[in-house]
């Protein structure tokens, strides 16, 4: 199936820094979801977005559903070691996944 | 959140054998479940949609005779990899939605099953 373009592919940041990643699509989506996946496990839902322009927070995580409905971003503030993992955006109610952003945190 | 469980977590088999992977929704009923495949350092690719009581819908390029899907009850879907070959080695993940009717669209994923074919 179709894949969403996610950037950056990988990030190496220091603990305490903020993180920003985004996802774009050539198609309009009615739902944007952000997941985190750790090695050898299934994805875990972080944030779900249902309306264009919607800005939603979950603790240190904030995500926005783009006005055009073709993009979304995820921000993580004040990163901590347990934030390490691969972050995926997903559209079409979780049936189409982004290419992933691998986050590595340097102590 | 809702709980989806897969079994086994990992399996090693000989080339030519068949392997069955189970996906269960533990605390909700799921009329629809989804199966994905994930190669190392790559994203999840949807393989098929599993519908309770009817045939699965396969994505383009996925061999339905190779990957048999059965959704016999509202809490269980199985994926059988038939006549497995080394190239079938991958991480297989299932998901289910607790409330697709209302349009919430939140999918909950199983822990994944790592298949290694020798």
């Amino acid at each position: 199936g179709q894949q969403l373009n996610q950037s950056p592919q990988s990030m190496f940041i220091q603990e305490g820094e903020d993180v920003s990643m985004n996802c774009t699509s050539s198609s309009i989506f009615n739902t944007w979801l952000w997941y985190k996946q750790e090695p050898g496990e299934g994805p875990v839902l972080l944030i779900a977005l249902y309306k264009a322009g919607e800005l939603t927070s979950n603790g240190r995580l904030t995500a926005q559903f783009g006005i055009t409905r073709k993009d979304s971003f995820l921000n993580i503030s004040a990163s901590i070691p347990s934030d390490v993992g691969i972050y995926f955006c997903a559209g079409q109610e979780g049936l189409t996944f982004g290419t992933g952003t691998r986050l590595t945190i340097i102590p | 959140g809702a709980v989806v469980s897969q079994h086994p977590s990992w399996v090693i088999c000989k080339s030519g054998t068949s392997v069955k992977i189970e996906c269960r929704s533990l605390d909700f009923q799921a009329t629809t479940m989804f199966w994905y495949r994930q190669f190392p350092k790559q994203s999840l690719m949807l393989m098929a949609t599993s519908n309770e009581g009817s045939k699965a819908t396969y994505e383009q390029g996925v061999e339905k005779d190779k990957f048999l899907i059965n959704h016999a009850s509202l809490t269980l879907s199985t994926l059988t990899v038939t006549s497995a070959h080394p190239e079938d080695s991958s991480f297989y993940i299932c998901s289910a939605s607790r409330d697709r009717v209302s349009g919430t669209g939140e999918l909950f994923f199983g822990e994944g099953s790592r298949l290694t074919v020798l």
Side-chain angles (χ1 to χ4, degrees):
Chain A
Q2 173 188 3
Q3 275 199 332
L4 304 174
N5 294 316
Q6 207 172 323
S7 66
Q9 285 189 341
S10 59
M11 302 182 73
F12 294 84
I13 63 167
Q14 290 198 318
E15 184 177 349
E17 287 185 12
D18 296 343
V19 172
S20 184
M21 60 190 78
N22 66 68
C23 197
T24 60
S25 168
S26 57
S27 304
I28 290 175
F29 286 129
N30 293 319
T31 309
W32 281 93
L33 307 169
W34 283 93
Y35 290 88
K36 179 186 177 186
Q37 186 180 28
E38 299 192 15
E41 298 183 12
V44 174
L45 181 66
L46 299 174
I47 293 180
L49 302 161
Y50 302 108
K51 287 184 183 178
E54 179 182 357
L55 184 71
T56 298
S57 294
N58 178 8
R60 294 178 296 107
L61 278 60
T62 302
Q64 184 159 31
F65 192 147
I67 290 291
T68 65
R69 294 198 284 159
K70 291 184 177 182
D71 63 326
S72 177
F73 72 74
L74 174 71
N75 288 341
I76 305 173
S77 62
S79 58
I80 59 177
S82 61
D83 291 333
V84 165
I86 303 176
Y87 292 80
F88 291 101
C89 61
Q92 202 177 334
E93 298 190 341
L95 302 184
T96 302
F97 270 73
T99 45
T101 296
R102 183 180 297 271
L103 179 62
T104 302
I105 295 179
I106 306 165
Chain B
V3 180
V4 175
S5 180
Q6 275 181 249
H7 177 80
S9 300
W10 57 269
V11 56
I12 301 173
C13 70
K14 291 182 179 180
S15 185
T17 61
S18 294
V19 174
K20 180 186 285 187
I21 301 170
E22 294 184 347
C23 178
R24 294 181 185 273
S25 54
L26 298 185
D27 53 357
F28 67 100
Q29 293 185 331
T31 55
T32 307
M33 291 183 175
F34 304 91
W35 287 96
Y36 304 75
R37 185 173 183 178
Q38 185 178 32
F39 289 110
K41 297 188 178 180
Q42 293 190 22
S43 186
L44 284 73
M45 295 298 293
L46 181 66
M47 298 174 65
T49 301
S50 172
N51 304 299
E52 188 268 334
S54 64
K55 290 184 179 180
T57 305
Y58 290 83
E59 295 298 303
Q60 191 174 5
V62 178
E63 299 174 61
K64 60 181 180 181
D65 295 328
K66 173 78 171 175
F67 299 99
L68 299 179
I69 292 173
N70 186 293
H71 196 147
S73 76
L74 287 171
T75 59
L76 173 64
S77 174
T78 60
L79 169 69
T80 301
V81 182
T82 62
S83 187
H85 291 284
E87 57 265 30
D88 298 324
S89 299
S90 188
F91 195 51
Y92 292 89
I93 308 173
C94 71
S95 71
S97 175
R98 180 173 54 187
D99 192 6
R100 297 185 70 79
V101 172
S102 72
T104 57
E106 293 183 24
L107 286 178
F108 296 91
F109 285 79
E111 313 95 323
S113 299
R114 182 163 301 283
L115 170 63
T116 300
V117 184
L118 302 177

